[in-house]
Tab-separated table of all heavy atoms in Angstrom:
chain	number	residue	atom	x	y	z
A	1	MET	N	19.457	0.109	66.946
A	1	MET	CA	19.450	1.080	65.849
A	1	MET	C	18.752	2.353	66.317
A	1	MET	O	17.702	2.305	66.932
A	1	MET	CB	18.699	0.483	64.662
A	1	MET	CG	18.881	1.301	63.396
A	1	MET	SD	18.521	0.308	61.920
A	1	MET	CE	16.980	1.004	61.418
A	2	THR	N	19.374	3.457	66.003
A	2	THR	CA	18.826	4.752	66.414
A	2	THR	C	18.306	5.506	65.200
A	2	THR	O	18.950	5.540	64.161
A	2	THR	CB	19.913	5.610	67.101
A	2	THR	OG1	20.455	4.871	68.172
A	2	THR	CG2	19.326	6.908	67.619
A	3	VAL	N	17.143	6.053	65.371
A	3	VAL	CA	16.571	6.855	64.294
A	3	VAL	C	16.789	8.329	64.620
A	3	VAL	O	16.400	8.800	65.676
A	3	VAL	CB	15.064	6.570	64.132
A	3	VAL	CG1	14.466	7.497	63.077
A	3	VAL	CG2	14.842	5.122	63.757
A	4	HIS	N	17.448	9.013	63.694
A	4	HIS	CA	17.675	10.432	63.882
A	4	HIS	C	16.646	11.224	63.073
A	4	HIS	O	16.357	10.877	61.933
A	4	HIS	CB	19.077	10.822	63.406
A	4	HIS	CG	20.153	10.229	64.250
A	4	HIS	ND1	20.498	10.731	65.476
A	4	HIS	CD2	20.950	9.160	64.044
A	4	HIS	CE1	21.479	9.991	65.978
A	4	HIS	NE2	21.756	9.033	65.133
A	5	SER	N	16.144	12.273	63.674
A	5	SER	CA	15.254	13.146	62.924
A	5	SER	C	16.024	13.868	61.845
A	5	SER	O	17.126	14.345	62.063
A	5	SER	CB	14.620	14.171	63.862
A	5	SER	OG	13.941	15.147	63.109
A	6	LEU	N	15.452	13.921	60.663
A	6	LEU	CA	16.080	14.671	59.580
A	6	LEU	C	15.614	16.113	59.571
A	6	LEU	O	16.003	16.882	58.711
A	6	LEU	CB	15.737	14.030	58.231
A	6	LEU	CG	16.287	12.627	58.036
A	6	LEU	CD1	15.807	12.061	56.710
A	6	LEU	CD2	17.801	12.630	58.090
A	7	GLY	N	14.765	16.467	60.512
A	7	GLY	CA	14.262	17.831	60.530
A	7	GLY	C	13.182	18.019	59.486
A	7	GLY	O	12.638	17.067	58.950
A	8	VAL	N	12.886	19.240	59.213
A	8	VAL	CA	11.799	19.576	58.297
A	8	VAL	C	12.367	20.352	57.131
A	8	VAL	O	13.150	21.273	57.310
A	8	VAL	CB	10.732	20.434	59.008
A	8	VAL	CG1	9.617	20.812	58.032
A	8	VAL	CG2	10.168	19.679	60.195
A	9	GLU	N	11.975	19.948	55.937
A	9	GLU	CA	12.377	20.708	54.756
A	9	GLU	C	11.151	21.417	54.198
A	9	GLU	O	10.109	20.810	53.995
A	9	GLU	CB	12.962	19.763	53.703
A	9	GLU	CG	13.503	20.511	52.505
A	9	GLU	CD	14.171	19.551	51.521
A	9	GLU	OE1	13.438	18.905	50.758
A	9	GLU	OE2	15.399	19.448	51.539
A	10	ILE	N	11.294	22.713	53.989
A	10	ILE	CA	10.212	23.490	53.405
A	10	ILE	C	10.554	23.720	51.941
A	10	ILE	O	11.550	24.362	51.637
A	10	ILE	CB	10.044	24.845	54.119
A	10	ILE	CG1	9.885	24.621	55.616
A	10	ILE	CG2	8.882	25.621	53.535
A	10	ILE	CD1	8.632	23.908	56.028
A	11	ALA	N	9.732	23.183	51.061
A	11	ALA	CA	9.993	23.346	49.635
A	11	ALA	C	9.156	24.488	49.083
A	11	ALA	O	8.048	24.741	49.531
A	11	ALA	CB	9.671	22.055	48.886
A	12	CYS	N	9.690	25.147	48.075
A	12	CYS	CA	8.958	26.237	47.428
A	12	CYS	C	7.786	25.670	46.632
A	12	CYS	O	7.937	24.693	45.902
A	12	CYS	CB	9.898	27.003	46.507
A	12	CYS	SG	9.063	28.341	45.635
A	13	ASP	N	6.604	26.272	46.791
A	13	ASP	CA	5.423	25.820	46.061
A	13	ASP	C	5.280	26.499	44.715
A	13	ASP	O	4.344	26.221	43.976
A	13	ASP	CB	4.164	26.069	46.896
A	13	ASP	CG	4.135	25.175	48.121
A	13	ASP	OD1	4.457	23.991	48.000
A	13	ASP	OD2	3.805	25.676	49.202
A	14	GLY	N	6.162	27.399	44.395
A	14	GLY	CA	6.142	28.043	43.087
A	14	GLY	C	5.125	29.154	43.011
A	14	GLY	O	4.256	29.281	43.864
A	15	PRO	N	5.245	29.995	41.970
A	15	PRO	CA	4.409	31.182	41.860
A	15	PRO	C	2.931	30.860	41.681
A	15	PRO	O	2.074	31.668	42.043
A	15	PRO	CB	4.979	31.921	40.644
A	15	PRO	CG	5.817	30.932	39.926
A	15	PRO	CD	6.264	29.904	40.921
A	16	THR	N	2.570	29.729	41.110
A	16	THR	CA	1.166	29.439	40.845
A	16	THR	C	0.528	28.636	41.957
A	16	THR	O	-0.686	28.594	42.078
A	16	THR	CB	1.011	28.648	39.534
A	16	THR	OG1	1.579	27.360	39.714
A	16	THR	CG2	1.669	29.377	38.381
A	17	GLY	N	1.314	27.943	42.739
A	17	GLY	CA	0.772	27.079	43.767
A	17	GLY	C	0.353	25.724	43.240
A	17	GLY	O	-0.039	24.862	44.002
A	18	ARG	N	0.420	25.547	41.929
A	18	ARG	CA	0.060	24.259	41.336
A	18	ARG	C	1.299	23.473	40.948
A	18	ARG	O	1.278	22.258	40.891
A	18	ARG	CB	-0.812	24.458	40.088
A	18	ARG	CG	-2.184	24.974	40.402
A	18	ARG	CD	-3.084	24.885	39.167
A	18	ARG	NE	-2.552	25.660	38.055
A	18	ARG	CZ	-2.928	26.906	37.775
A	18	ARG	NH1	-3.855	27.472	38.489
A	18	ARG	NH2	-2.399	27.549	36.767
A	19	ASP	N	2.343	24.163	40.634
A	19	ASP	CA	3.564	23.495	40.192
A	19	ASP	C	4.681	23.758	41.184
A	19	ASP	O	4.694	24.786	41.852
A	19	ASP	CB	3.999	24.010	38.819
A	19	ASP	CG	2.898	23.848	37.801
A	19	ASP	OD1	2.408	22.715	37.660
A	19	ASP	OD2	2.527	24.851	37.163
A	20	ASP	N	5.589	22.827	41.212
A	20	ASP	CA	6.764	23.068	42.046
A	20	ASP	C	7.575	24.205	41.461
A	20	ASP	O	7.514	24.490	40.274
A	20	ASP	CB	7.632	21.806	42.112
A	20	ASP	CG	6.994	20.733	42.963
A	20	ASP	OD1	6.156	21.094	43.808
A	20	ASP	OD2	7.317	19.562	42.765
A	21	CYS	N	8.338	24.818	42.309
A	21	CYS	CA	9.223	25.879	41.870
A	21	CYS	C	10.168	25.342	40.803
A	21	CYS	O	10.688	24.235	40.932
A	21	CYS	CB	10.016	26.374	43.065
A	21	CYS	SG	11.212	27.630	42.651
A	22	PRO	N	10.380	26.115	39.724
A	22	PRO	CA	11.315	25.655	38.684
A	22	PRO	C	12.698	25.369	39.244
A	22	PRO	O	13.412	24.513	38.735
A	22	PRO	CB	11.367	26.822	37.697
A	22	PRO	CG	10.211	27.703	38.018
A	22	PRO	CD	9.768	27.406	39.414
A	23	ASP	N	13.027	26.104	40.267
A	23	ASP	CA	14.345	25.907	40.860
A	23	ASP	C	14.328	24.799	41.893
A	23	ASP	O	15.368	24.396	42.381
A	23	ASP	CB	14.818	27.194	41.537
A	23	ASP	CG	15.042	28.300	40.527
A	23	ASP	OD1	15.344	27.970	39.369
A	23	ASP	OD2	14.903	29.469	40.895
A	24	ASN	N	13.131	24.321	42.213
A	24	ASN	CA	12.998	23.283	43.223
A	24	ASN	C	13.772	23.659	44.477
A	24	ASN	O	14.539	22.871	45.018
A	24	ASN	CB	13.474	21.939	42.679
A	24	ASN	CG	12.958	20.786	43.524
A	24	ASN	OD1	11.969	20.935	44.228
A	24	ASN	ND2	13.613	19.647	43.457
A	25	ALA	N	13.583	24.878	44.891
A	25	ALA	CA	14.368	25.395	46.001
A	25	ALA	C	13.883	24.837	47.325
A	25	ALA	O	12.753	24.388	47.449
A	25	ALA	CB	14.277	26.919	46.025
A	26	ALA	N	14.726	24.876	48.271
A	26	ALA	CA	14.352	24.488	49.627
A	26	ALA	C	15.082	25.377	50.608
A	26	ALA	O	16.179	25.850	50.339
A	26	ALA	CB	14.687	23.024	49.887
A	27	VAL	N	14.454	25.573	51.720
A	27	VAL	CA	15.051	26.416	52.755
A	27	VAL	C	16.333	25.767	53.260
A	27	VAL	O	16.389	24.567	53.490
A	27	VAL	CB	14.065	26.607	53.917
A	27	VAL	CG1	14.760	27.275	55.108
A	27	VAL	CG2	12.886	27.434	53.475
A	28	ARG	N	17.331	26.592	53.391
A	28	ARG	CA	18.528	26.117	54.073
A	28	ARG	C	18.270	26.196	55.568
A	28	ARG	O	18.265	27.270	56.159
A	28	ARG	CB	19.729	27.000	53.729
A	28	ARG	CG	20.257	26.786	52.348
A	28	ARG	CD	21.513	27.605	52.105
A	28	ARG	NE	21.234	29.025	52.094
A	28	ARG	CZ	21.646	29.869	53.038
A	28	ARG	NH1	22.362	29.432	54.043
A	28	ARG	NH2	21.355	31.140	52.950
A	29	ALA	N	18.003	25.087	56.162
A	29	ALA	CA	17.657	25.070	57.576
A	29	ALA	C	18.909	25.014	58.424
A	29	ALA	O	19.867	24.325	58.088
A	29	ALA	CB	16.774	23.870	57.883
A	30	ALA	N	18.871	25.760	59.494
A	30	ALA	CA	19.978	25.667	60.445
A	30	ALA	C	19.982	24.278	61.075
A	30	ALA	O	18.949	23.625	61.177
A	30	ALA	CB	19.833	26.731	61.521
A	31	ILE	N	21.140	23.841	61.472
A	31	ILE	CA	21.264	22.489	62.016
A	31	ILE	C	20.419	22.321	63.269
A	31	ILE	O	20.018	21.222	63.631
A	31	ILE	CB	22.750	22.166	62.290
A	31	ILE	CG1	22.931	20.670	62.532
A	31	ILE	CG2	23.288	22.990	63.464
A	31	ILE	CD1	22.707	19.830	61.287
A	32	THR	N	20.139	23.430	63.938
A	32	THR	CA	19.375	23.352	65.177
A	32	THR	C	17.879	23.398	64.930
A	32	THR	O	17.102	23.219	65.862
A	32	THR	CB	19.761	24.515	66.103
A	32	THR	OG1	19.625	25.738	65.383
A	32	THR	CG2	21.182	24.393	66.598
A	33	SER	N	17.477	23.645	63.691
A	33	SER	CA	16.045	23.777	63.408
A	33	SER	C	15.440	22.416	63.164
A	33	SER	O	15.882	21.673	62.291
A	33	SER	CB	15.835	24.679	62.187
A	33	SER	OG	16.270	25.980	62.480
A	34	ARG	N	14.413	22.098	63.913
A	34	ARG	CA	13.813	20.769	63.825
A	34	ARG	C	12.346	20.828	63.402
A	34	ARG	O	11.839	19.885	62.822
A	34	ARG	CB	13.895	20.059	65.189
A	34	ARG	CG	15.298	19.679	65.563
A	34	ARG	CD	15.717	18.409	64.833
A	34	ARG	NE	17.061	18.014	65.188
A	34	ARG	CZ	18.035	17.902	64.296
A	34	ARG	NH1	17.801	18.166	63.033
A	34	ARG	NH2	19.221	17.521	64.667
A	35	THR	N	11.670	21.894	63.725
A	35	THR	CA	10.246	21.948	63.420
A	35	THR	C	9.992	22.843	62.213
A	35	THR	O	10.837	23.639	61.823
A	35	THR	CB	9.460	22.515	64.609
A	35	THR	OG1	9.791	23.894	64.767
A	35	THR	CG2	9.785	21.773	65.892
A	36	ALA	N	8.808	22.694	61.631
A	36	ALA	CA	8.464	23.520	60.476
A	36	ALA	C	8.518	24.992	60.840
A	36	ALA	O	8.948	25.831	60.046
A	36	ALA	CB	7.075	23.158	59.973
A	37	ARG	N	8.081	25.315	62.056
A	37	ARG	CA	8.108	26.711	62.470
A	37	ARG	C	9.544	27.246	62.506
A	37	ARG	O	9.818	28.348	62.048
A	37	ARG	CB	7.464	26.841	63.856
A	37	ARG	CG	7.454	28.257	64.391
A	37	ARG	CD	6.945	28.285	65.810
A	37	ARG	NE	5.560	27.854	65.907
A	37	ARG	CZ	4.522	28.693	65.869
A	37	ARG	NH1	4.731	29.980	65.775
A	37	ARG	NH2	3.304	28.235	65.939
A	38	GLN	N	10.448	26.450	63.011
A	38	GLN	CA	11.840	26.889	63.086
A	38	GLN	C	12.449	27.022	61.698
A	38	GLN	O	13.189	27.958	61.416
A	38	GLN	CB	12.657	25.892	63.916
A	38	GLN	CG	12.365	25.970	65.408
A	38	GLN	CD	13.101	24.890	66.169
A	38	GLN	OE1	13.168	23.748	65.739
A	38	GLN	NE2	13.640	25.249	67.319
A	39	VAL	N	12.137	26.059	60.832
A	39	VAL	CA	12.707	26.108	59.489
A	39	VAL	C	12.157	27.307	58.720
A	39	VAL	O	12.879	27.976	57.980
A	39	VAL	CB	12.416	24.799	58.731
A	39	VAL	CG1	12.862	24.906	57.280
A	39	VAL	CG2	13.128	23.635	59.410
A	40	ARG	N	10.870	27.601	58.895
A	40	ARG	CA	10.318	28.782	58.234
A	40	ARG	C	10.975	30.057	58.752
A	40	ARG	O	11.181	31.012	58.006
A	40	ARG	CB	8.811	28.859	58.431
A	40	ARG	CG	8.070	27.859	57.569
A	40	ARG	CD	6.579	28.150	57.491
A	40	ARG	NE	5.968	27.341	56.444
A	40	ARG	CZ	5.398	26.163	56.653
A	40	ARG	NH1	5.351	25.662	57.862
A	40	ARG	NH2	4.878	25.484	55.651
A	41	ALA	N	11.288	30.083	60.030
A	41	ALA	CA	11.991	31.246	60.572
A	41	ALA	C	13.360	31.380	59.919
A	41	ALA	O	13.797	32.484	59.600
A	41	ALA	CB	12.127	31.118	62.094
A	42	ASP	N	14.022	30.253	59.683
A	42	ASP	CA	15.300	30.296	58.965
A	42	ASP	C	15.086	30.876	57.577
A	42	ASP	O	15.865	31.691	57.104
A	42	ASP	CB	15.877	28.883	58.818
A	42	ASP	CG	16.337	28.309	60.139
A	42	ASP	OD1	16.614	29.099	61.053
A	42	ASP	OD2	16.402	27.088	60.242
A	43	GLY	N	14.031	30.408	56.912
A	43	GLY	CA	13.775	30.848	55.548
A	43	GLY	C	13.494	32.338	55.464
A	43	GLY	O	13.901	32.995	54.516
A	44	ARG	N	12.762	32.856	56.454
A	44	ARG	CA	12.445	34.288	56.407
A	44	ARG	C	13.701	35.142	56.442
A	44	ARG	O	13.748	36.205	55.853
A	44	ARG	CB	11.511	34.660	57.560
A	44	ARG	CG	10.046	34.398	57.225
A	44	ARG	CD	9.133	35.092	58.207
A	44	ARG	NE	9.219	34.498	59.533
A	44	ARG	CZ	8.556	33.430	59.917
A	44	ARG	NH1	7.742	32.815	59.073
A	44	ARG	NH2	8.667	32.961	61.125
A	45	ARG	N	14.726	34.631	57.100
A	45	ARG	CA	15.992	35.377	57.104
A	45	ARG	C	16.571	35.470	55.700
A	45	ARG	O	17.261	36.421	55.365
A	45	ARG	CB	17.005	34.684	58.022
A	45	ARG	CG	16.877	35.053	59.485
A	45	ARG	CD	18.193	34.859	60.209
A	45	ARG	NE	18.658	33.468	60.099
A	45	ARG	CZ	18.275	32.508	60.935
A	45	ARG	NH1	17.452	32.777	61.914
A	45	ARG	NH2	18.729	31.285	60.795
A	46	ASP	N	16.290	34.461	54.880
A	46	ASP	CA	16.829	34.453	53.522
A	46	ASP	C	15.852	35.036	52.512
A	46	ASP	O	16.107	35.014	51.323
A	46	ASP	CB	17.172	33.013	53.107
A	46	ASP	CG	18.354	32.474	53.894
A	46	ASP	OD1	19.126	33.288	54.422
A	46	ASP	OD2	18.496	31.247	53.966
A	47	GLY	N	14.694	35.520	52.971
A	47	GLY	CA	13.753	36.144	52.052
A	47	GLY	C	12.561	35.292	51.693
A	47	GLY	O	11.753	35.672	50.855
A	48	TRP	N	12.427	34.127	52.299
A	48	TRP	CA	11.262	33.293	52.040
A	48	TRP	C	10.020	33.932	52.645
A	48	TRP	O	10.087	34.608	53.673
A	48	TRP	CB	11.453	31.905	52.648
A	48	TRP	CG	12.321	30.997	51.830
A	48	TRP	CD1	13.654	31.146	51.606
A	48	TRP	CD2	11.907	29.821	51.137
A	48	TRP	NE1	14.092	30.117	50.823
A	48	TRP	CE2	13.062	29.295	50.509
A	48	TRP	CE3	10.686	29.156	50.991
A	48	TRP	CZ2	13.012	28.139	49.747
A	48	TRP	CZ3	10.650	27.998	50.244
A	48	TRP	CH2	11.805	27.498	49.617
A	49	THR	N	8.881	33.684	51.994
A	49	THR	CA	7.621	34.184	52.514
A	49	THR	C	6.607	33.056	52.526
A	49	THR	O	6.743	32.073	51.803
A	49	THR	CB	7.076	35.335	51.652
A	49	THR	OG1	6.889	34.865	50.332
A	49	THR	CG2	8.024	36.524	51.655
A	50	VAL	N	5.568	33.216	53.345
A	50	VAL	CA	4.452	32.279	53.356
A	50	VAL	C	3.211	33.046	52.936
A	50	VAL	O	2.845	34.036	53.562
A	50	VAL	CB	4.258	31.650	54.744
A	50	VAL	CG1	3.077	30.684	54.720
A	50	VAL	CG2	5.530	30.938	55.190
A	51	ARG	N	2.571	32.592	51.866
A	51	ARG	CA	1.386	33.247	51.350
A	51	ARG	C	0.139	32.702	52.038
A	51	ARG	O	0.159	31.598	52.575
A	51	ARG	CB	1.276	33.016	49.828
A	51	ARG	CG	2.353	33.729	49.060
A	51	ARG	CD	2.289	35.226	49.315
A	51	ARG	NE	3.515	35.903	48.919
A	51	ARG	CZ	3.714	36.411	47.711
A	51	ARG	NH1	2.790	36.308	46.804
A	51	ARG	NH2	4.840	36.998	47.428
A	52	PRO	N	-0.972	33.450	51.968
A	52	PRO	CA	-2.237	32.932	52.509
A	52	PRO	C	-2.545	31.556	51.921
A	52	PRO	O	-2.396	31.343	50.721
A	52	PRO	CB	-3.258	33.975	52.058
A	52	PRO	CG	-2.471	35.235	51.895
A	52	PRO	CD	-1.083	34.803	51.450
A	53	GLY	N	-2.961	30.650	52.772
A	53	GLY	CA	-3.178	29.293	52.320
A	53	GLY	C	-2.003	28.396	52.652
A	53	GLY	O	-2.075	27.190	52.479
A	54	GLY	N	-0.925	29.003	53.125
A	54	GLY	CA	0.196	28.201	53.585
A	54	GLY	C	1.207	27.869	52.514
A	54	GLY	O	2.061	27.032	52.713
A	55	ARG	N	1.111	28.540	51.349
A	55	ARG	CA	2.109	28.271	50.318
A	55	ARG	C	3.424	28.940	50.703
A	55	ARG	O	3.453	30.103	51.082
A	55	ARG	CB	1.645	28.809	48.962
A	55	ARG	CG	0.510	28.022	48.372
A	55	ARG	CD	0.393	28.278	46.887
A	55	ARG	NE	-0.132	29.601	46.591
A	55	ARG	CZ	0.519	30.510	45.869
A	55	ARG	NH1	1.706	30.265	45.390
A	55	ARG	NH2	-0.027	31.673	45.647
A	56	ASP	N	4.480	28.185	50.535
A	56	ASP	CA	5.805	28.733	50.790
A	56	ASP	C	6.420	29.182	49.477
A	56	ASP	O	6.348	28.484	48.469
A	56	ASP	CB	6.701	27.655	51.414
A	56	ASP	CG	6.193	27.219	52.767
A	56	ASP	OD1	6.183	28.057	53.679
A	56	ASP	OD2	5.788	26.054	52.890
A	57	LEU	N	7.006	30.372	49.505
A	57	LEU	CA	7.661	30.873	48.290
A	57	LEU	C	9.103	31.200	48.603
A	57	LEU	O	9.414	31.863	49.596
A	57	LEU	CB	6.959	32.137	47.794
A	57	LEU	CG	5.566	31.947	47.190
A	57	LEU	CD1	4.999	33.296	46.753
A	57	LEU	CD2	5.595	30.993	46.015
A	58	CYS	N	9.987	30.755	47.709
A	58	CYS	CA	11.390	31.084	47.854
A	58	CYS	C	11.594	32.547	47.472
A	58	CYS	O	10.713	33.166	46.876
A	58	CYS	CB	12.243	30.159	46.970
A	58	CYS	SG	12.087	30.456	45.209
A	59	PRO	N	12.741	33.115	47.788
A	59	PRO	CA	12.965	34.541	47.512
A	59	PRO	C	12.743	34.898	46.050
A	59	PRO	O	12.202	35.936	45.722
A	59	PRO	CB	14.423	34.744	47.926
A	59	PRO	CG	14.677	33.704	48.953
A	59	PRO	CD	13.846	32.524	48.546
A	60	ARG	N	13.156	34.021	45.133
A	60	ARG	CA	13.002	34.316	43.709
A	60	ARG	C	11.529	34.392	43.321
A	60	ARG	O	11.108	35.311	42.620
A	60	ARG	CB	13.700	33.232	42.886
A	60	ARG	CG	13.646	33.492	41.385
A	60	ARG	CD	14.183	32.307	40.633
A	60	ARG	NE	15.568	32.052	40.986
A	60	ARG	CZ	16.562	32.053	40.090
A	60	ARG	NH1	16.294	32.267	38.824
A	60	ARG	NH2	17.786	31.813	40.473
A	61	CYS	N	10.721	33.423	43.766
A	61	CYS	CA	9.296	33.413	43.413
A	61	CYS	C	8.571	34.546	44.119
A	61	CYS	O	7.636	35.126	43.569
A	61	CYS	CB	8.666	32.078	43.772
A	61	CYS	SG	9.245	30.719	42.746
A	62	ALA	N	8.973	34.867	45.327
A	62	ALA	CA	8.312	35.949	46.067
A	62	ALA	C	8.477	37.267	45.324
A	62	ALA	O	7.578	38.099	45.319
A	62	ALA	CB	8.898	36.045	47.471
A	63	LYS	N	9.599	37.434	44.661
A	63	LYS	CA	9.829	38.671	43.913
A	63	LYS	C	9.011	38.708	42.639
A	63	LYS	O	8.654	39.779	42.162
A	63	LYS	CB	11.324	38.781	43.543
A	63	LYS	CG	12.172	39.319	44.691
A	63	LYS	CD	13.582	39.611	44.205
A	63	LYS	CE	14.535	39.668	45.387
A	63	LYS	NZ	15.753	38.912	45.153
A	64	SER	N	8.736	37.551	42.050
A	64	SER	CA	8.092	37.517	40.743
A	64	SER	C	6.574	37.587	40.853
A	64	SER	O	5.891	37.611	39.843
A	64	SER	CB	8.503	36.248	39.985
A	64	SER	OG	7.917	35.114	40.602
A	65	THR	N	6.020	37.592	42.041
A	65	THR	CA	4.573	37.639	42.180
A	65	THR	C	4.139	38.962	42.799
A	65	THR	O	4.925	39.613	43.457
A	65	THR	CB	4.051	36.501	43.072
A	65	THR	OG1	4.767	36.486	44.302
A	65	THR	CG2	4.201	35.175	42.382
B	101	LIG	ZN1	10.470	29.260	44.155
C-alpha cells in the first residue's frame, strides 16, 4: 500500500482570527504545491494574505479588514 501526500491546505482564519471564515475558503493549490510555503505562494496569486501572527486571510476577508 502506498501513501500519497495530499499536500497542504491553507484555510482562511476569518477576519477576527477566532472564527473560521464564513465562506470556509481554502487556497486552490497547484497540483505541484506540496508544502505550506508553496501553497501560500499559490494563494498570494489569488489575493490571499498572511497577517502578523500567521493568520491566513482569503481575498474576501483581506478586503473587509
Ligand atoms: Zn475568508
Side-chain angles (χ1 to χ4, degrees):
M1 191 159 108
T2 305
V3 176
H4 293 282
S5 170
L6 295 176
V8 179
E9 185 176 80
I10 306 294
C12 179
D13 292 317
T16 67
R18 291 191 300 264
D19 304 306
D20 288 337
C21 177
D23 294 332
N24 198 22
V27 170
R28 286 185 293 111
I31 194 69
T32 53
S33 295
R34 290 281 181 240
T35 68
R37 179 186 296 267
Q38 287 175 318
V39 173
R40 285 194 168 94
D42 291 337
R44 276 195 292 277
R45 276 205 302 274
D46 291 339
W48 281 67
T49 59
V50 180
R51 292 301 163 91
R55 289 199 287 121
D56 296 295
L57 289 180
C58 70
R60 183 188 299 239
C61 291
K63 278 189 200 134
S64 70
T65 52

